[in-house]
Amino acid sequence: IIGLIDELYRLERQIWGWGPDHRRRYRQQNSKPVVDKIYRRLKEMKGQIQGKSQLSRGINYILKRQQKLSLFLDNGFVDLDTNAVERQFKPVQTLRKNVYFIGSDEGGDTWAVFSSLIETCKLNGVDPYKYMVWLFDELAELFGQGAQPVIDYRKLLPWRAPAHCVAGVQANAPVVPLAA
């Protein structure tokens, strides 16, 4: 089983950075037979293992969730594992103990929003500092017009940030204002 899982990761390395449609087609052709072999082997093992051992419970857990665990085969947007997302939360988990005494519920909520935005920036290759500067400039411009504007916040999310906010882009890159 471990060797087959290793084979899946080897196949995933082949398609790193490919578009979702190409990933889905490649997985259907190359990864699906490996996944099918894993499930066949687990079903064989289930018949050989008696009782309620840890191994038996683990196999049952996987087999009951076969459809969800195989979702990556049919959806090129889904990764084989959640490691990239989990790495984004590690700093948040580490910092959590440091913010127990943040001062108020509102302060905690504000910290959670900023922490989430910063980790989302990192996940999308956006420099958090550049993004925050751009975000506050955009908000100041929108609210500085006098009336309470109707804001489409989706346009202000990290993956919509302008090119100069991308990590590694020069600080003097031209700023493209947000379209109204």
Side-chain angles (χ1 to χ4, degrees):
I1 298 290
I2 300 295
L4 292 170
I5 292 171
D6 188 47
E7 177 68 12
L8 282 178
Y9 277 95
R10 188 188 65 73
L11 291 168
E12 283 297 302
R13 285 191 293 273
Q14 302 292 320
I15 59 174
W16 181 255
W18 290 15
D21 289 335
H22 289 122
R23 286 170 44 142
R24 185 189 55 74
R25 283 195 298 271
Y26 182 89
R27 288 171 175 168
Q28 286 294 313
Q29 183 177 350
N30 298 288
S31 300
K32 188 173 183 334
V34 177
V35 169
D36 291 343
K37 196 180 290 186
I38 289 171
Y39 286 116
R40 274 195 310 274
R41 181 66 183 121
L42 288 172
K43 288 174 186 172
E44 290 170 11
M45 290 173 67
K46 181 181 176 184
Q48 297 169 357
I49 299 171
Q50 295 179 350
K52 296 188 177 199
S53 67
Q54 290 279 354
L55 183 57
S56 177
R57 283 193 297 241
I59 290 172
N60 287 331
Y61 179 89
I62 292 169
L63 292 176
K64 285 179 184 175
R65 291 160 180 80
Q66 182 174 347
Q67 184 179 0
K68 290 181 181 180
L69 292 171
S70 301
L71 180 66
F72 79 101
L73 295 170
D74 298 319
N75 187 333
F77 287 103
V78 177
D79 287 327
L80 176 60
D81 58 38
T82 59
N83 289 344
V85 173
E86 289 175 17
R87 277 192 301 274
Q88 298 302 313
F89 288 103
K90 191 170 250 182
V92 175
Q93 294 298 327
T94 303
L95 186 61
R96 185 173 53 179
K97 289 182 182 176
N98 296 335
V99 296
Y100 279 143
F101 304 104
I102 201 127
S104 67
D105 288 343
E106 293 82 13
D109 291 344
T110 302
W111 171 81
V113 168
F114 279 107
S115 181
S116 178
L117 277 173
I118 289 168
E119 295 306 320
T120 302
C121 284
K122 292 177 186 177
L123 188 61
N124 287 279
V126 174
D127 181 294
Y129 177 78
K130 292 176 185 177
Y131 168 75
M132 290 293 182
V133 169
W134 169 77
L135 176 65
F136 290 136
D137 286 346
E138 288 297 316
L139 290 172
E141 186 173 316
L142 288 168
F143 283 100
Q145 297 171 356
Q148 288 287 343
V150 175
I151 300 172
D152 184 359
Y153 289 102
R154 293 172 297 185
K155 292 181 180 180
L156 300 173
L157 293 171
W159 53 85
R160 292 275 183 86
H164 77 278
C165 292
V166 174
V169 173
Q170 295 292 333
N172 59 358
V175 177
V176 181
L178 188 64

